[in-house]
Amino acid sequence: MKRNLRLRTIGFISAFHCASSFTATPRLAPARPAAATVGLRRRLVHVRATSPAEGSDVRTTDWVIENLEDDGRSITSADPLRAGEGDTLPPEGLAIGNVRIFAAAAAGGEGDGDENGTDDDGRHRVRLLLGRNGWGTGVHPTTRLCLEWIADSISHGDVLLDYGCGSGILSVAALHAGAARCVGVDVEAEALVAAGRNAALNGWDEGRFRGMHTREVLPREACPPSGADVCVANILVGQLVRPSMVAAIVTNVREGGLLCLSGIRPGGEVESLLEAYGDCVEWLDEQYAELSAAETENCLESYGFDCGRWARLVGRKRTVQGDGFIEQMSDLAVS
């Protein structure tokens, strides 16, 4: 009998991602002893230890994705024009920030650049597979906003946390911009497969890009030893404002690290994020940006409709005194 991945993943119950009853903005509970975080870790370790085959040392992510292609259908394929979840890319590629993005089988994907895959204008040629899951190619305003920001903001040697990695395009762009390594987190196991294959297709091995299921994320442990220097989260606002996701993101970014949030609309959605993250992030107003579908190359052509106007928020993580914030958010996540 074929095993259904989505049913299997239910067994991985992470306290940071079981917050369906939470309100839209965080309400902090009284601080608990530091043992609260330890108890959370022990609970998840127990689940990890009992979920794979007895005695196995397989990582949770590996175990989750092992049977995704049992039905004979590949998660990813190479197409000359389509990539991601079916986005259409122009034959000449999509130039954004430090990259020029092609569909995996596009004739121009390996064309006139130098031996390092770099165009005359200095952009790195990136090829993306078509996948069952793995959103993000550059045709949507939010992806473009994030790619443009990455090109200007990544420093050599940075560690990037790509939260909601989808196709992995933001990680690939960050690696080309000088990042030392990237950790891509996603709730969809198919997306983790697509992101890993896209990273490999563009020359980055597992030492530079690692996929992680959301149910593996624990405070301060996604990007050891010091936390991410940069986190990009291009996710819809309904998830970004959840206290569990706020905690998962901010506890895995080092103090002084940068946080780029998109997937949000100007106005009320931006205000919700300002409130949700405001206690731990100093917002960099000069890096706020908006972009509409009409202003985004190939967006209308690919989608066939106007997806509207979107925004990007950028901030720097404040210095947090003690573990109070982590404990308070952990308390909400397990309640």
Side-chain angles (χ1 to χ4, degrees), residues 59-83:
R59 286 180 58 236
T60 304
T61 298
D62 298 331
W63 186 78
V64 167
I65 68 176
E66 66 181 1
N67 292 313
L68 282 173
E69 295 174 331
D70 275 1
D71 58 3
R73 294 188 306 127
S74 177
I75 292 168
T76 58
S77 60
D79 189 271
L81 290 176
R82 295 187 304 148

PDB file of all heavy atoms in Angstrom, residues 59-83:
ATOM      1  N   ARG A  59      17.683  11.536   9.573  1.00  0.00           N
ATOM      2  CA  ARG A  59      17.113  12.823   9.956  1.00  0.00           C
ATOM      3  C   ARG A  59      15.625  12.842   9.652  1.00  0.00           C
ATOM      4  O   ARG A  59      15.148  12.185   8.738  1.00  0.00           O
ATOM      5  CB  ARG A  59      17.777  13.965   9.190  1.00  0.00           C
ATOM      6  CG  ARG A  59      19.173  14.305   9.659  1.00  0.00           C
ATOM      7  CD  ARG A  59      19.727  15.456   8.831  1.00  0.00           C
ATOM      8  NE  ARG A  59      18.886  16.624   8.920  1.00  0.00           N
ATOM      9  CZ  ARG A  59      18.363  17.236   7.856  1.00  0.00           C
ATOM     10  NH1 ARG A  59      18.576  16.768   6.647  1.00  0.00           N
ATOM     11  NH2 ARG A  59      17.633  18.311   8.014  1.00  0.00           N
ATOM     12  N   THR A  60      14.900  13.658  10.417  1.00  0.00           N
ATOM     13  CA  THR A  60      13.461  13.765  10.216  1.00  0.00           C
ATOM     14  C   THR A  60      13.116  14.129   8.779  1.00  0.00           C
ATOM     15  O   THR A  60      12.251  13.526   8.167  1.00  0.00           O
ATOM     16  CB  THR A  60      12.876  14.837  11.167  1.00  0.00           C
ATOM     17  OG1 THR A  60      13.232  14.502  12.508  1.00  0.00           O
ATOM     18  CG2 THR A  60      11.372  14.913  11.036  1.00  0.00           C
ATOM     19  N   THR A  61      13.822  15.133   8.231  1.00  0.00           N
ATOM     20  CA  THR A  61      13.529  15.547   6.864  1.00  0.00           C
ATOM     21  C   THR A  61      13.710  14.402   5.889  1.00  0.00           C
ATOM     22  O   THR A  61      12.877  14.171   5.012  1.00  0.00           O
ATOM     23  CB  THR A  61      14.440  16.723   6.453  1.00  0.00           C
ATOM     24  OG1 THR A  61      14.173  17.837   7.313  1.00  0.00           O
ATOM     25  CG2 THR A  61      14.177  17.131   5.020  1.00  0.00           C
ATOM     26  N   ASP A  62      14.805  13.654   6.031  1.00  0.00           N
ATOM     27  CA  ASP A  62      15.053  12.535   5.126  1.00  0.00           C
ATOM     28  C   ASP A  62      13.942  11.497   5.224  1.00  0.00           C
ATOM     29  O   ASP A  62      13.482  10.951   4.225  1.00  0.00           O
ATOM     30  CB  ASP A  62      16.399  11.883   5.443  1.00  0.00           C
ATOM     31  CG  ASP A  62      17.567  12.837   5.254  1.00  0.00           C
ATOM     32  OD1 ASP A  62      17.433  13.735   4.403  1.00  0.00           O
ATOM     33  OD2 ASP A  62      18.572  12.692   5.952  1.00  0.00           O
ATOM     34  N   TRP A  63      13.507  11.238   6.459  1.00  0.00           N
ATOM     35  CA  TRP A  63      12.473  10.224   6.658  1.00  0.00           C
ATOM     36  C   TRP A  63      11.141  10.680   6.069  1.00  0.00           C
ATOM     37  O   TRP A  63      10.398   9.904   5.477  1.00  0.00           O
ATOM     38  CB  TRP A  63      12.325   9.934   8.153  1.00  0.00           C
ATOM     39  CG  TRP A  63      11.397   8.809   8.445  1.00  0.00           C
ATOM     40  CD1 TRP A  63      11.652   7.477   8.333  1.00  0.00           C
ATOM     41  CD2 TRP A  63      10.045   8.914   8.903  1.00  0.00           C
ATOM     42  NE1 TRP A  63      10.549   6.750   8.694  1.00  0.00           N
ATOM     43  CE2 TRP A  63       9.550   7.604   9.050  1.00  0.00           C
ATOM     44  CE3 TRP A  63       9.212   9.992   9.206  1.00  0.00           C
ATOM     45  CZ2 TRP A  63       8.260   7.337   9.488  1.00  0.00           C
ATOM     46  CZ3 TRP A  63       7.924   9.735   9.650  1.00  0.00           C
ATOM     47  CH2 TRP A  63       7.463   8.416   9.779  1.00  0.00           C
ATOM     48  N   VAL A  64      10.846  11.971   6.201  1.00  0.00           N
ATOM     49  CA  VAL A  64       9.583  12.501   5.691  1.00  0.00           C
ATOM     50  C   VAL A  64       9.496  12.359   4.180  1.00  0.00           C
ATOM     51  O   VAL A  64       8.441  12.033   3.631  1.00  0.00           O
ATOM     52  CB  VAL A  64       9.422  13.990   6.091  1.00  0.00           C
ATOM     53  CG1 VAL A  64       8.285  14.633   5.321  1.00  0.00           C
ATOM     54  CG2 VAL A  64       9.145  14.099   7.587  1.00  0.00           C
ATOM     55  N   ILE A  65      10.607  12.600   3.464  1.00  0.00           N
ATOM     56  CA  ILE A  65      10.539  12.670   2.002  1.00  0.00           C
ATOM     57  C   ILE A  65      10.862  11.353   1.310  1.00  0.00           C
ATOM     58  O   ILE A  65      10.783  11.270   0.087  1.00  0.00           O
ATOM     59  CB  ILE A  65      11.491  13.758   1.463  1.00  0.00           C
ATOM     60  CG1 ILE A  65      12.952  13.367   1.684  1.00  0.00           C
ATOM     61  CG2 ILE A  65      11.177  15.096   2.097  1.00  0.00           C
ATOM     62  CD1 ILE A  65      13.935  14.355   1.089  1.00  0.00           C
ATOM     63  N   GLU A  66      11.175  10.294   2.067  1.00  0.00           N
ATOM     64  CA  GLU A  66      11.743   9.106   1.439  1.00  0.00           C
ATOM     65  C   GLU A  66      10.825   8.430   0.435  1.00  0.00           C
ATOM     66  O   GLU A  66      11.288   7.769  -0.489  1.00  0.00           O
ATOM     67  CB  GLU A  66      12.174   8.100   2.516  1.00  0.00           C
ATOM     68  CG  GLU A  66      11.013   7.528   3.309  1.00  0.00           C
ATOM     69  CD  GLU A  66      11.482   6.550   4.376  1.00  0.00           C
ATOM     70  OE1 GLU A  66      12.692   6.342   4.495  1.00  0.00           O
ATOM     71  OE2 GLU A  66      10.633   6.006   5.067  1.00  0.00           O
ATOM     72  N   ASN A  67       9.502   8.563   0.581  1.00  0.00           N
ATOM     73  CA  ASN A  67       8.585   7.857  -0.313  1.00  0.00           C
ATOM     74  C   ASN A  67       7.782   8.786  -1.222  1.00  0.00           C
ATOM     75  O   ASN A  67       6.749   8.396  -1.749  1.00  0.00           O
ATOM     76  CB  ASN A  67       7.614   6.999   0.511  1.00  0.00           C
ATOM     77  CG  ASN A  67       8.332   5.854   1.198  1.00  0.00           C
ATOM     78  OD1 ASN A  67       9.117   5.157   0.566  1.00  0.00           O
ATOM     79  ND2 ASN A  67       8.097   5.695   2.475  1.00  0.00           N
ATOM     80  N   LEU A  68       8.250   9.994  -1.402  1.00  0.00           N
ATOM     81  CA  LEU A  68       7.483  10.962  -2.181  1.00  0.00           C
ATOM     82  C   LEU A  68       7.282  10.546  -3.631  1.00  0.00           C
ATOM     83  O   LEU A  68       6.310  10.942  -4.264  1.00  0.00           O
ATOM     84  CB  LEU A  68       8.169  12.332  -2.145  1.00  0.00           C
ATOM     85  CG  LEU A  68       7.974  13.139  -0.873  1.00  0.00           C
ATOM     86  CD1 LEU A  68       8.847  14.376  -0.911  1.00  0.00           C
ATOM     87  CD2 LEU A  68       6.523  13.535  -0.696  1.00  0.00           C
ATOM     88  N   GLU A  69       8.206   9.791  -4.183  1.00  0.00           N
ATOM     89  CA  GLU A  69       8.126   9.424  -5.594  1.00  0.00           C
ATOM     90  C   GLU A  69       7.834   7.940  -5.778  1.00  0.00           C
ATOM     91  O   GLU A  69       8.103   7.372  -6.832  1.00  0.00           O
ATOM     92  CB  GLU A  69       9.417   9.834  -6.302  1.00  0.00           C
ATOM     93  CG  GLU A  69       9.594  11.361  -6.316  1.00  0.00           C
ATOM     94  CD  GLU A  69      10.925  11.805  -6.890  1.00  0.00           C
ATOM     95  OE1 GLU A  69      11.898  11.042  -6.782  1.00  0.00           O
ATOM     96  OE2 GLU A  69      10.992  12.927  -7.426  1.00  0.00           O
ATOM     97  N   ASP A  70       7.231   7.301  -4.751  1.00  0.00           N
ATOM     98  CA  ASP A  70       6.901   5.878  -4.834  1.00  0.00           C
ATOM     99  C   ASP A  70       5.912   5.562  -5.947  1.00  0.00           C
ATOM    100  O   ASP A  70       5.874   4.449  -6.462  1.00  0.00           O
ATOM    101  CB  ASP A  70       6.306   5.392  -3.502  1.00  0.00           C
ATOM    102  CG  ASP A  70       7.397   4.997  -2.512  1.00  0.00           C
ATOM    103  OD1 ASP A  70       8.579   5.121  -2.875  1.00  0.00           O
ATOM    104  OD2 ASP A  70       7.063   4.586  -1.394  1.00  0.00           O
ATOM    105  N   ASP A  71       5.078   6.559  -6.303  1.00  0.00           N
ATOM    106  CA  ASP A  71       4.059   6.308  -7.322  1.00  0.00           C
ATOM    107  C   ASP A  71       4.607   6.443  -8.739  1.00  0.00           C
ATOM    108  O   ASP A  71       3.860   6.359  -9.712  1.00  0.00           O
ATOM    109  CB  ASP A  71       2.871   7.253  -7.136  1.00  0.00           C
ATOM    110  CG  ASP A  71       3.258   8.723  -7.199  1.00  0.00           C
ATOM    111  OD1 ASP A  71       4.452   9.003  -7.449  1.00  0.00           O
ATOM    112  OD2 ASP A  71       2.381   9.578  -6.994  1.00  0.00           O
ATOM    113  N   GLY A  72       5.909   6.664  -8.866  1.00  0.00           N
ATOM    114  CA  GLY A  72       6.515   6.766 -10.185  1.00  0.00           C
ATOM    115  C   GLY A  72       6.490   8.152 -10.787  1.00  0.00           C
ATOM    116  O   GLY A  72       7.025   8.370 -11.870  1.00  0.00           O
ATOM    117  N   ARG A  73       5.862   9.106 -10.109  1.00  0.00           N
ATOM    118  CA  ARG A  73       5.806  10.483 -10.611  1.00  0.00           C
ATOM    119  C   ARG A  73       6.928  11.293  -9.973  1.00  0.00           C
ATOM    120  O   ARG A  73       6.996  11.424  -8.760  1.00  0.00           O
ATOM    121  CB  ARG A  73       4.459  11.131 -10.280  1.00  0.00           C
ATOM    122  CG  ARG A  73       3.258  10.501 -10.980  1.00  0.00           C
ATOM    123  CD  ARG A  73       2.001  11.324 -10.734  1.00  0.00           C
ATOM    124  NE  ARG A  73       1.759  11.537  -9.314  1.00  0.00           N
ATOM    125  CZ  ARG A  73       1.559  12.731  -8.763  1.00  0.00           C
ATOM    126  NH1 ARG A  73       1.595  13.826  -9.504  1.00  0.00           N
ATOM    127  NH2 ARG A  73       1.329  12.840  -7.468  1.00  0.00           N
ATOM    128  N   SER A  74       7.795  11.834 -10.789  1.00  0.00           N
ATOM    129  CA  SER A  74       8.884  12.644 -10.270  1.00  0.00           C
ATOM    130  C   SER A  74       8.354  13.969  -9.729  1.00  0.00           C
ATOM    131  O   SER A  74       7.440  14.576 -10.307  1.00  0.00           O
ATOM    132  CB  SER A  74       9.908  12.920 -11.373  1.00  0.00           C
ATOM    133  OG  SER A  74      10.940  13.764 -10.891  1.00  0.00           O
ATOM    134  N   ILE A  75       8.920  14.410  -8.628  1.00  0.00           N
ATOM    135  CA  ILE A  75       8.526  15.694  -8.045  1.00  0.00           C
ATOM    136  C   ILE A  75       8.934  16.845  -8.948  1.00  0.00           C
ATOM    137  O   ILE A  75       8.237  17.854  -9.032  1.00  0.00           O
ATOM    138  CB  ILE A  75       9.178  15.855  -6.660  1.00  0.00           C
ATOM    139  CG1 ILE A  75       8.577  14.846  -5.691  1.00  0.00           C
ATOM    140  CG2 ILE A  75       8.997  17.267  -6.118  1.00  0.00           C
ATOM    141  CD1 ILE A  75       9.346  14.740  -4.406  1.00  0.00           C
ATOM    142  N   THR A  76      10.054  16.692  -9.636  1.00  0.00           N
ATOM    143  CA  THR A  76      10.577  17.773 -10.466  1.00  0.00           C
ATOM    144  C   THR A  76      10.824  17.295 -11.891  1.00  0.00           C
ATOM    145  O   THR A  76      10.991  16.104 -12.145  1.00  0.00           O
ATOM    146  CB  THR A  76      11.898  18.301  -9.892  1.00  0.00           C
ATOM    147  OG1 THR A  76      12.838  17.220  -9.806  1.00  0.00           O
ATOM    148  CG2 THR A  76      11.698  18.911  -8.518  1.00  0.00           C
ATOM    149  N   SER A  77      10.844  18.239 -12.811  1.00  0.00           N
ATOM    150  CA  SER A  77      11.180  17.955 -14.201  1.00  0.00           C
ATOM    151  C   SER A  77      11.782  19.214 -14.815  1.00  0.00           C
ATOM    152  O   SER A  77      11.653  20.309 -14.269  1.00  0.00           O
ATOM    153  CB  SER A  77       9.936  17.519 -14.991  1.00  0.00           C
ATOM    154  OG  SER A  77       8.952  18.542 -14.973  1.00  0.00           O
ATOM    155  N   ALA A  78      12.451  19.054 -15.934  1.00  0.00           N
ATOM    156  CA  ALA A  78      13.072  20.183 -16.627  1.00  0.00           C
ATOM    157  C   ALA A  78      12.217  20.581 -17.816  1.00  0.00           C
ATOM    158  O   ALA A  78      11.842  19.742 -18.645  1.00  0.00           O
ATOM    159  CB  ALA A  78      14.481  19.816 -17.090  1.00  0.00           C
ATOM    160  N   ASP A  79      11.889  21.858 -17.900  1.00  0.00           N
ATOM    161  CA  ASP A  79      11.045  22.388 -18.974  1.00  0.00           C
ATOM    162  C   ASP A  79      11.747  23.596 -19.585  1.00  0.00           C
ATOM    163  O   ASP A  79      12.471  24.312 -18.885  1.00  0.00           O
ATOM    164  CB  ASP A  79       9.680  22.799 -18.395  1.00  0.00           C
ATOM    165  CG  ASP A  79       8.673  23.166 -19.470  1.00  0.00           C
ATOM    166  OD1 ASP A  79       8.624  24.353 -19.862  1.00  0.00           O
ATOM    167  OD2 ASP A  79       7.939  22.266 -19.912  1.00  0.00           O
ATOM    168  N   PRO A  80      11.570  23.844 -20.880  1.00  0.00           N
ATOM    169  CA  PRO A  80      12.266  24.980 -21.500  1.00  0.00           C
ATOM    170  C   PRO A  80      11.720  26.356 -21.112  1.00  0.00           C
ATOM    171  O   PRO A  80      12.434  27.351 -21.234  1.00  0.00           O
ATOM    172  CB  PRO A  80      12.093  24.731 -22.999  1.00  0.00           C
ATOM    173  CG  PRO A  80      10.900  23.844 -23.112  1.00  0.00           C
ATOM    174  CD  PRO A  80      10.893  22.995 -21.885  1.00  0.00           C
ATOM    175  N   LEU A  81      10.462  26.420 -20.636  1.00  0.00           N
ATOM    176  CA  LEU A  81       9.868  27.718 -20.331  1.00  0.00           C
ATOM    177  C   LEU A  81       9.253  27.805 -18.940  1.00  0.00           C
ATOM    178  O   LEU A  81       9.155  28.891 -18.372  1.00  0.00           O
ATOM    179  CB  LEU A  81       8.784  28.079 -21.360  1.00  0.00           C
ATOM    180  CG  LEU A  81       9.257  28.409 -22.771  1.00  0.00           C
ATOM    181  CD1 LEU A  81       8.059  28.650 -23.680  1.00  0.00           C
ATOM    182  CD2 LEU A  81      10.170  29.652 -22.759  1.00  0.00           C
ATOM    183  N   ARG A  82       8.826  26.677 -18.380  1.00  0.00           N
ATOM    184  CA  ARG A  82       8.117  26.719 -17.104  1.00  0.00           C
ATOM    185  C   ARG A  82       9.006  26.247 -15.959  1.00  0.00           C
ATOM    186  O   ARG A  82       9.842  25.364 -16.125  1.00  0.00           O
ATOM    187  CB  ARG A  82       6.853  25.865 -17.165  1.00  0.00           C
ATOM    188  CG  ARG A  82       5.801  26.397 -18.148  1.00  0.00           C
ATOM    189  CD  ARG A  82       4.519  25.602 -18.025  1.00  0.00           C
ATOM    190  NE  ARG A  82       4.765  24.178 -18.229  1.00  0.00           N
ATOM    191  CZ  ARG A  82       4.069  23.211 -17.633  1.00  0.00           C
ATOM    192  NH1 ARG A  82       3.107  23.506 -16.785  1.00  0.00           N
ATOM    193  NH2 ARG A  82       4.355  21.940 -17.886  1.00  0.00           N
ATOM    194  N   ALA A  83       8.778  26.861 -14.787  1.00  0.00           N
ATOM    195  CA  ALA A  83       9.557  26.509 -13.594  1.00  0.00           C
ATOM    196  C   ALA A  83       8.684  26.733 -12.370  1.00  0.00           C
ATOM    197  O   ALA A  83       7.548  27.214 -12.471  1.00  0.00           O
ATOM    198  CB  ALA A  83      10.825  27.351 -13.513  1.00  0.00           C
TER     199      ALA A  83
END
